[in-house]
Amino acid sequence: MKLFDNKILRMVVFIIQIITSILFIGIAYIIAVFPTNYLIAASVVLILLALLSGKLIFHKKEKSKRSLFMQIISMLLSCAMLVGSFYIYKWGEAVDLMTSSDFQTRAMSIIVLDDSSIKNENMLSGVSLGYVSSVNTDNMYTAITTINNDIGNVSYSGYGDFESIIDDFYDGQFDAFLLDESFRSLVEDYQSSFSDDTRVVYQITLEESAVSANSVDVTSSPFLVYISGNDEYGDLSSASRSDVNMLVAINPNTHQILLVSIPRDTYYPLHMNGQYDKFTHSGLYGIQESINTLEDIISEDINYYVKMNFTSFIDVVDALGGITVYSPVAFTTYIGDYEIVEGENTLNAKQALAFVRERKSFADGDFARNRNQQRMISAIVKKVCSPSILVSYASVLEAVSNSIETNMSTSEINSLVQLELSELISWDIQSYQIIGDSAMMPCYSSGGLSASVIIAYESSIEEARDYIDQIMAGEIVETESGDLDQ
């Protein structure tokens, strides 16, 4: 008992409480994630607690149980504020990581067959290189210039499409294949064993400029966000095909969110050259090209983008402790052979990924997959905005900091969080999907070879534009499909 009656110890306990209180309020103010009225209220409460602690800790009676009890409460309160300060700091760190991308990277590889005598870059002098000359010409020219400077005596054979170059590569018509790694998925469409049959002996990394945001006050003005879910695992900063393409219209005043799905195979002119291609291929030329082409489709300026890939998705769902999503029909996923029941399904990360990628089980293929992607996004939004997020808060922060890339600023994201905390908004999530007919058409990124595409109905595009216009104008939108997550 004497230990706790020691005046120096009581003073230390009280000072720790004061310091941790100041630290908590200071970090919360700097990170700016809480509404101002929350900070004022917290400051008042902490000041009153400090006054009460001081009065009871330094109670005049030497062996007062009040003093002992208050010292224990003070230490517990200090620990709580330290933990709170840590998680507020981690939030700020996570948001900074999401918004800190200054450029995209593009890898240009020299690839040889696995049994080639060429073992490394020192053996490339004098080799013949094949490359596709009809697409992504600027980056290919940059790569060739670098190779000429670094390696020297190399000959080149230009090809018009991937099918021809793959055939000749395997037949030994040239020694090595110069490939923009963003296009590896297209190569594997023609030769599924390509990655197993080959190895990289030399690689150049090119940097591409960041995508500027068209910023607005996200707490009072409607805005558009392009969500790009790339069909790759690994590094988010690499350009690749956009497997999931969704435009999200958000109106913070009407508390409505509109999800508009654009089928990955939508046949539309690329913004950069007017050549027709699948929309998914726009991602091969960088996120800016995807945004520009989508702006052409919807006739609206897009404010921000959010990019994630399959690795990102798995990390986020894992961090959330799984996700509960509604399915209108029962089916078995092609990937993983998971049983999905009609109604609500609680899925782990791998099951959730199989759910959003599934199309073979449905008569309308990609269109059904797009609806399930909307259901999944709706379910994730609702879980993140629910009190259950507190249980997995730390792991979610860890996941999103490394798994999501966006050009929204830190202050804009924090403003949205402040809005949610201050108003506890229950978002009305509406959905719409651009639809069309399947066809076989020549695609620019495939070197003019025909591929399966979706030719969108002009009436469907117009309806999407009308819904977006209504959201942006502050009107209440009710789509025919409504909220698919129910």
Side-chain angles (χ1 to χ4, degrees), residues 73-103:
I73 295 297
S74 176
M75 290 304 297
L76 291 174
L77 181 62
S78 297
C79 289
M81 285 187 289
L82 280 174
V83 172
S85 299
F86 172 76
Y87 281 118
I88 294 171
Y89 172 79
K90 290 293 289 184
W91 165 263
E93 186 179 58
V95 173
D96 285 343
L97 283 171
M98 282 191 291
T99 61
S100 64
S101 178
D102 294 326
F103 54 83

Side-chain angles (χ1 to χ4, degrees), residues 109-130:
S109 299
I110 295 181
I111 296 169
V112 297
L113 290 171
D114 202 43
D115 60 0
S116 171
S117 60
I118 300 171
K119 303 302 181 183
N120 53 54
E121 64 183 88
N122 297 323
M123 303 176 70
L124 288 173
S125 181
V127 304
S128 56
L129 284 181

Side-chain angles (χ1 to χ4, degrees), residues 438-456:
S438 298
M440 292 293 293
M441 299 295 288
C443 293
Y444 170 74
S445 297
S446 301
L449 295 178
S450 291
S452 177
V453 302
I454 298 294
I455 299 179

Side-chain angles (χ1 to χ4, degrees), residues 3 17 85 114 133 157 190 192 201-202 234 237 290 302 304 306 312 329 343 368 396 405 424 430 461:
L3 177 65
Q17 180 181 335
S85 299
D114 202 43
S133 58
S157 299
Y190 297 106
S192 59
V201 294
Y202 179 77
S237 64
S290 294
I302 295 172
Y304 309 101
V306 173
S312 314
V329 295
V396 170
E405 176 186 298
L424 298 177
Q430 298 288 309
I461 292 177

Side-chain angles (χ1 to χ4, degrees), residues 263 265-269 276-279 441-443 453-456:
D265 292 339
T266 299
Y267 196 57
Y268 208 84
Y276 274 85
D277 208 340
K278 296 182 181 188
F279 183 73
M441 299 295 288
C443 293
V453 302
I454 298 294
I455 299 179

